[in-house]
Amino acid sequence: MQVDLDEIEKMLNGIIQLDVVNARATYSLSFGGTSPNIFLPQDMKRSLTHEPVTSKVSSSEREWTIYLPKAYHPLLLQQHKQKTQQAWKDLESANTELRRRKLFRGNTTRKGEKDTNLSPTEMQVSALELAHPVPIDIFIARKTRVLVITGPNTGGKTICLKTVGLAVMMAKSGLHILSSEYAKVPWFDSVFADIGDEQSLSQSLSTFSGHLKQIGNILSQSTSQSLVLLDEIGAGTNPLEGTALGMSLLEAFAESGSLLTIATTHHGEFKTLKYSNDFFENACMEFDEVKLKPTYKILWGVPGRSSAINIAERLGLPGIVVQNARQLYGAASAEINEVIIEMERFKTQFLEHVHEARHFLMLSRNLHKNLLRTRRKILEHCASQRFRKVQKISDAAAIARSLVHKSAQQLRTSASQARSLVHKRAQQLHPSASQSLHCTKVGKNQHVLTSNFQQTTVDKVELPATASSSVVKDIKQSPRVKRTELPKVGDLVHVSSFGKKGTVIKVEPSKEEIVVQVGNMKWIMKFTDIVTY
């Protein structure tokens, strides 16, 4: 029996663990959390979780103790989600009721009834969707041991304090952090917080006494790996004494106390600690001076200022009261506030320029990538076009060579046939001329013999039978003239074999031959076959 109970207990514990894991995963998926990078405070270079891709993590992000970009308070996000869901349910209920009324009235709805019934609900849904919680950027450098956050009332100082504490506790519990990637938090051994009113009637403690007792316990229990959150330190007593005591406590935390201490305050003297101790850092909650409303954004490195008088004026206090308060506040304090306002303005402009520069840097990187991609495509296209052009030229050259070879073959065949025909006709006219009738080359190894000349030659050689016999008779009866003087280049001679005139272009006395150009043809003749004029 005891064994069965032990097994049931183990099974129950396993189911509980699985249920807790499922609850963590469901919560993270429902709110879109980020898996944080958790590291040990002793070794800043080591990480308990898998390090994200190095290309996505800039070198500046490795210089922070806490890096939470666009972090949300979980309860604010949950409240906004619940209100939005309820507003959508109300809108659907209103639509259902309107359809029911239309069906009951027989679809005789008057004009404008839908707008009258649904317009407020739709406006409420739109307003809720636009009124999304404002995220805060929490960037705390490694050298910072104490962060002092100042700012106006209702400006979001306490929300910022709680957001950091909840993010650290969620990371320690295995939950995703509600912030943008890349989130980075150290592994704190403990988280101590003094937030809210600690007065107790049973223990005879006032607000100030309750805070002091709580802070004393935190100072004694915190270690060099603890996170301490102090809200409105030095409040609840005389401002001068409270400021002195609060500054002393923060210096104690910075020198030998916790790893990181975050404190909020209204006292302006806390802002000067940064300039005397390198472990301190200032931050303030931004306040819109035009709308007299907080923006719930953090300005880092800028000392804040309290806008109680301006807020009192916005809340409707009589003008004479506000004016008298400003006179009592003093001109010196007003000038300091003016300097702080100017610093806030410059800081805001600087951040805007940084964001703009990052935006343009991202655009330039994308443009550079597009240019490289376009350049690669152009080079590939040029290479492809060049290859196609070379291929086309090679194909055209091959076709041209084939045509030229074919035409040359045809010309050689036609020239051979013409020479045979001319030689045959010349042999019929004058047997001795057939031995001296040769066609010379014009140019380099090229026979010039056109089809027109062939046809003309053939036509002229093909004489009638009667004319042929008379020409042969005249040739046989014509006596050979013994030449005593050789013709010269350029002389005009008569070629007996063709009955035409020709021009001497070359004389070879050793061979008793002469080259005569008749028309477009060059002929090698014997001295006895020509007559000089």
Side-chain angles (χ1 to χ4, degrees), residues 138-155:
I138 303 172
F139 307 139
I140 302 177
R142 290 184 179 178
K143 67 177 183 178
T144 301
R145 299 290 298 274
V146 178
L147 174 64
V148 179
I149 302 177
T150 56
N153 294 323
T154 68

Side-chain angles (χ1 to χ4, degrees), residues 54-84:
T54 56
S55 61
K56 295 182 180 180
V57 182
S58 63
S59 59
S60 60
E61 291 173 355
R62 300 189 182 95
E63 300 299 326
W64 308 107
T65 299
I66 295 181
Y67 188 86
L68 298 175
K70 299 186 183 303
Y72 290 95
H73 191 289
L75 297 181
L76 290 180
L77 206 60
Q78 184 177 358
Q79 290 176 2
H80 178 264
K81 185 177 181 180
Q82 291 176 351
K83 289 181 180 179
T84 305

